[in-house]
Amino acid sequence: SERSDKLLKLTLQGYRLGEIGLLALLDTQRTFIISRENYYNALRNYYFRLIELEKHISQEIVFTD
């Protein structure tokens, strides 16, 4: 996640300075969005699995104090 953030920032800076073309910027933005989407999907799946596990062990894992 940090690497995709850094890549996007550097690409935007390069585009503003005229060192990188529009297609490279758009490709980097697409990569960034896909990376974020994959991260949130993995996080969602993780919590779904924890909730399923909670059903079987009768103990709360996700929302404990």
Side-chain angles (χ1 to χ4, degrees):
S1 179
E2 290 178 29
R3 293 174 77 191
S4 62
D5 287 343
K6 185 174 182 178
L7 176 62
L8 181 60
K9 287 178 185 176
L10 290 173
T11 304
L12 282 170
Q13 182 180 13
Y15 179 73
R16 287 184 190 124
L17 295 173
E19 297 173 353
I20 295 176
L22 180 60
L23 289 178
L25 173 64
L26 293 175
D27 187 47
T28 302
Q29 287 176 332
R30 180 178 53 84
T31 302
F32 176 79
I33 290 169
I34 290 170
S35 172
R36 287 293 175 153
E37 180 182 26
N38 290 339
Y39 170 76
Y40 286 120
N41 284 335
L43 191 60
R44 181 194 66 203
N45 290 335
Y46 171 75
Y47 279 107
F48 281 158
R49 300 298 180 259
L50 280 180
I51 291 167
E52 286 298 315
L53 181 62
E54 285 178 349
K55 291 178 186 177
H56 295 288
I57 64 171
S58 301
Q59 180 181 353
E60 209 168 286
I61 298 172
V62 177
F63 299 108
T64 60
D65 291 331

